[in-house]
Amino acid sequence: MIGFSRTKRSAASNAGYADLFGFIGFLFCLLTIVASTMATTAPAEPLAAVLKSVNDFTLDLYLKAAEAKGPGKNILVSPLSASLVTAMVHAGARGKTLEEITKGLRYPTDKDTLEKGFSSLHDLLANTPNVTLEIANKVFVEKTAHAKLVEGYKKTITEVHKSDVESADFLNNHDKERISINNWVSDKTHEKIKDLLQPGVVTPATAMVLVNAIYFYGKWKEQFDKKQTYPEDFYITKSQTVKVPMMHMTKNMRYAEIPELDAKAVELCYTNENVCLQIILPNAKDGLEGLQQKLRAGAFDLSNIPFYPTKVQLSLPKFKLEETINIKDLFKKMGMQSMFEQSADFSGMFDGVPVAVSDAIQKTFMDVNEEGTEAAAATAVVMMRCMMARPDPISVFNADHPYALRLVARVGAARACLFTGSVSEFSGDISKIASRTCSAQ
């Protein structure tokens, strides 16, 4: 969510199971789409440029989130959702505000390339077969400011970013409108993202709320046998373990060694084989922070993992994650300051209504189990009027300590990120889950 409020300028300027049990570690999810699998043909260069921007933004967003939460904490963010909603903010920005958002989100500087790329990306994502992938944008505008919405801006967000635009009575019924926005998000994410906007985020000063919602569900091409799920140790530190429900499978799958990260990886595909979950496992049981440091230093590009087919003996915990992230703080750390200040320039959005971003919030959800993966994300921006080596033939892949995940679908050679984060905790009553797992066998 991104929201805007009107700004009051000075005379000078105005002219896891819930928490997840225990400690899984680094979760890194990436969604890309293969153009050859889509019904829509997209202009290659603009699409590639936008996908590159999302990819470049992905790692920065994840690392900033990891720094903010500290070691040993779960993280799950959706770079794609954040990028899609902020693209609508970017379309109305000018001057320094525009420059900072362009740099922070890694957007192409050419307006035509950016718009064609995002338009193509929406079309391609809407045509992903054999999995459920639903993406929706919507902009809620205070009805007294709707007439001041710049016509060119409205055309861009409806035609390029496929967003509906709806009038809202924030001035007189701000909390009712907040609940209405939350209900829209819940509906678009199949009730996986609820209460995105907390009381107090939307006020009578709110001028506009921009929202993106993403929902994904995919079944594994080859599902795990539930009878092969049973409690095993997971290392939350080098010497401390907890019991988690561990899934098992021995099959031919795509595998990789990544010496640059001192890690290995495996790829599990869904019924659409162009959509896969990639798991990146540090070789050391306490190797998550070292892996993050190597990524921060640019030691390896996770979009180019050298997978090859081989037989793998895989052990993978089933888990559920839910996360709420203050995107505003992360954006500021990426150099995007102006959009949140009184001096913000969104003159391409409203004619004569000074606004700035007051809040940027994201909620995410992911459930990985024997059948497949379900994931959802919603990002809202509130704008307010300013008042203020090769392995052996059979490879053992035992994910019993922190590891990375990437949810991927290919778009030719280019990629776009859907989720990125860290699964770093397993908490809750493991014994109950274990007993339920055992009794189901």
Side-chain angles (χ1 to χ4, degrees):
M1 176 211 80
I2 295 183
F4 285 75
S5 62
R6 298 178 188 263
T7 56
K8 184 178 182 180
R9 304 190 185 278
S10 65
S13 64
N14 190 26
Y17 296 96
D19 284 329
L20 225 75
F21 328 99
F23 187 77
I24 296 190
F26 175 46
L27 173 68
F28 192 90
C29 304
L30 181 69
L31 179 73
T32 48
I33 306 294
V34 180
S36 62
T37 67
M38 305 303 166
T40 304
T41 301
E45 291 184 9
L47 177 63
V50 165
L51 288 171
K52 184 179 186 306
S53 78
V54 175
N55 259 345
D56 292 345
F57 168 62
T58 291
L59 185 59
D60 197 11
L61 181 65
Y62 165 71
L63 292 175
K64 290 293 190 298
E67 290 171 0
K69 295 201 73 174
K73 298 296 181 182
N74 293 334
I75 299 169
L76 181 65
V77 294
S78 175
L80 181 60
S81 179
S83 189
L84 290 176
V85 75
T86 310
M88 296 191 292
V89 177
H90 176 273
R94 299 292 183 268
K96 180 182 178 181
T97 304
L98 175 66
E99 293 173 5
E100 288 184 353
I101 298 174
T102 300
K103 183 177 180 180
L105 272 292
R106 315 295 199 267
Y107 290 150
T109 55
D110 180 70
K111 180 176 180 289
D112 189 56
T113 297
L114 182 70
E115 293 185 353
K116 286 182 178 178
F118 268 112
S119 181
S120 298
L121 180 59
H122 278 287
D123 291 340
L124 289 171
L125 292 173
N127 290 277
T128 308
N130 301 324
V131 296
T132 301
L133 180 57
E134 299 168 357
I135 299 178
N137 286 333
K138 192 161 186 177
V139 175
F140 300 82
V141 184
E142 160 57 36
K143 63 181 184 180
T144 60
H146 202 152
K148 298 293 185 71
L149 203 63
V150 174
E151 191 59 36
Y153 174 75
K154 185 175 181 179
K155 182 178 180 181
T156 297
I157 60 176
T158 55
E159 296 183 3
V160 173
H161 301 290
K162 322 299 183 185
S163 178
D164 293 331
V165 179
E166 180 177 311
S167 290
D169 188 5
F170 297 126
L171 186 61
N172 300 301
N173 295 292
H174 62 278
D175 206 54
K176 180 180 177 182
E177 296 292 2
R178 176 185 68 84
I179 293 171
S180 177
I181 294 170
N182 283 345
N183 289 340
W184 181 86
V185 168
S186 179
D187 178 65
K188 294 300 180 181
T189 60
H190 296 235
E191 300 186 347
K192 297 305 176 184
I193 306 294
K194 297 181 179 180
D195 301 320
L196 175 64
L197 304 180
Q198 294 297 304
V201 172
V202 178
T203 73
T206 297
M208 183 162 65
V209 179
L210 305 93
V211 191
N212 168 267
I214 297 176
Y215 176 80
F216 171 83
Y217 178 71
K219 289 187 176 182
W220 304 121
K221 178 187 177 185
E222 297 183 78
Q223 297 186 1
F224 289 87
D225 183 351
K226 291 184 179 181
K227 293 180 180 179
Q228 296 300 313
T229 298
Y230 43 84
E232 287 191 336
D233 285 340
F234 185 91
Y235 287 81
I236 61 175
T237 69
K238 194 173 183 178
S239 59
Q240 183 181 0
T241 64
V242 295
K243 292 291 184 183
V244 302
M246 191 78 76
M247 305 183 294
H248 299 84
M249 176 188 295
T250 301
K251 297 214 180 262
N252 287 319
M253 59 186 74
R254 285 162 56 78
Y255 177 89
E257 295 280 352
I258 313 175
E260 296 91 340
L261 299 178
D262 190 20
K264 53 192 170 186
V266 71
E267 185 174 72
L268 299 171
C269 293
Y270 299 94
T271 49
N272 179 339
E273 294 184 55
N274 290 301
V275 184
C276 306
L277 186 70
Q278 296 176 345
I279 303 152
I280 301 94
L281 180 71
N283 291 322
K285 295 198 185 304
D286 58 351
L288 173 60
E289 289 187 58
L291 186 148
Q292 292 173 348
Q293 290 172 5
K294 291 181 177 71
L295 289 172
R296 190 174 288 111
F300 187 78
D301 181 358
L302 284 173
S303 65
N304 293 312
I305 299 175
F307 287 109
Y308 62 90
T310 190
K311 195 169 188 177
V312 177
Q313 181 180 309
L314 174 66
S315 301
L316 177 68
K318 57 187 294 186
F319 65 87
K320 187 182 293 184
L321 269 180
E322 295 180 70
E323 187 71 61
T324 300
I325 296 287
N326 186 327
I327 299 294
K328 176 179 178 179
D329 289 347
L330 300 184
F331 276 9
K332 284 184 174 181
K333 291 178 180 178
M334 295 179 193
M336 290 175 276
Q337 297 278 348
S338 176
M339 63 193 291
F340 302 104
E341 297 173 349
Q342 298 281 317
S343 58
D345 184 353
F346 288 103
S347 55
M349 184 179 290
F350 287 104
D351 182 10
V353 182
V355 297
V357 176
S358 58
D359 284 285
I361 302 161
Q362 184 177 96
K363 292 188 75 170
T364 51
F365 167 90
M366 179 174 281
D367 183 0
V368 174
N369 55 44
E370 293 91 346
E371 294 181 354
T373 301
E374 185 176 31
T379 308
V381 176
V382 180
M383 306 193 74
M384 304 187 76
R385 307 169 193 250
C386 287
M387 299 186 297
M388 303 225 43
R390 304 274 301 183
D392 294 333
I394 296 182
S395 303
V396 176
F397 195 98
N398 185 12
D400 65 349
H401 57 278
Y403 58 84
L405 302 179
R406 289 157 49 95
L407 184 61
V408 301
R410 308 173 194 278
V411 188
R415 301 174 183 273
C417 186
L418 181 60
F419 290 95
T420 183
S422 288
V423 186
S424 297
E425 300 170 277
F426 276 96
S427 56
D429 192 340
I430 305 298
S431 62
K432 289 185 179 180
I433 293 165
S435 66
R436 285 202 299 272
T437 302
C438 292
S439 64
Q441 293 179 12

